[in-house]
Amino acid sequence: MKEIRKTFKAPWDWLLILMTSGVTLLLLGLDYYSSGIIPTLVTWSIILGALGFGIFGYHIQDNQLKILRLGWSKDIDLSEIKEVEFKPHAMTGSVRTFGIGGLFGYVGYFRNIILKSYKAYVTHREKTVVLTTEEGQIVISPDDPKAFVASIEVSLGDKQEGT
């Protein structure tokens, strides 16, 4: 069996850094200048809620792709993946239909002309990898997209050889 890389970081692009910093500072500033418990609860609910859904890495383990979150993971069975492709800037022209669009990640449901409707678990819009499953397309952004694609392809090949 060929040795493959199993863990990938989720790097942030400049826009994600700018948006997360700006929105967090704005919310904390509004909270600082507001009186009462309600503004504080709203501020921290937004920040911690978005942080809980942020993307912190990707890990291939036990025939699953684990999209790492803060204290939990979204797991995708490798058998569901029909195709994997490094497609830089796959999110270009996308509209968010439901989810988070730049606070600790681009996470949720998006749509564009090329991919149509898709799910995103992205932190870097240039390093995008498109996973095609029976349920649709999933876009992620590992730190080394080419190595990630190779790792998934080897994992899928090993699984097919074992059956």
Side-chain angles (χ1 to χ4, degrees):
M1 183 170 123
K2 184 178 175 183
E3 187 64 31
I4 61 169
R5 183 173 165 195
K6 296 193 181 262
T7 301
F8 297 84
K9 295 177 183 174
W12 286 21
D13 64 17
W14 65 269
L15 183 59
L16 185 60
I17 293 168
L18 185 66
M19 288 178 62
T20 299
S21 301
V23 170
T24 301
L25 289 173
L26 176 68
L27 287 169
L28 291 174
L30 290 172
D31 180 45
Y32 181 77
Y33 289 107
S34 300
S35 61
I37 191 74
I38 300 299
T40 300
L41 289 175
V42 169
T43 295
W44 286 104
S45 294
I46 293 170
I47 293 170
L48 295 176
L51 181 62
F53 284 95
I55 307 301
F56 296 94
Y58 310 93
H59 188 71
I60 302 165
Q61 174 186 348
D62 300 329
N63 290 321
Q64 292 189 326
L65 168 61
K66 296 182 174 291
I67 299 170
L68 305 176
R69 304 273 183 81
L70 190 63
W72 62 293
S73 68
K74 162 68 176 157
D75 300 342
I76 299 168
D77 195 318
L78 292 181
S79 66
E80 294 176 14
I81 299 173
K82 305 302 175 204
E83 185 181 346
V84 57
E85 178 185 6
F86 173 36
K87 192 177 264 190
H89 303 279
M91 293 184 71
T92 298
S94 292
V95 174
R96 179 183 64 230
T97 55
F98 182 77
I100 301 169
L103 186 59
F104 301 104
Y106 311 102
V107 182
Y109 295 89
F110 291 78
R111 181 175 187 77
N112 69 14
I113 292 172
I114 297 168
L115 298 177
K116 308 294 183 227
S117 293
Y118 64 93
K119 288 183 186 176
Y121 302 96
V122 173
T123 57
H124 200 297
R125 295 163 300 130
E126 292 176 21
K127 298 182 177 211
T128 49
V129 171
V130 178
L131 306 169
T132 302
T133 70
E134 288 180 8
E135 293 182 11
Q137 294 179 310
I138 300 167
V139 180
I140 63 172
S141 59
D143 59 338
D144 187 344
K146 290 179 182 177
F148 179 85
V149 169
S151 294
I152 291 292
E153 287 174 343
V154 167
S155 295
L156 291 173
D158 288 347
K159 187 181 59 160
Q160 290 171 350
E161 290 172 11
T163 56

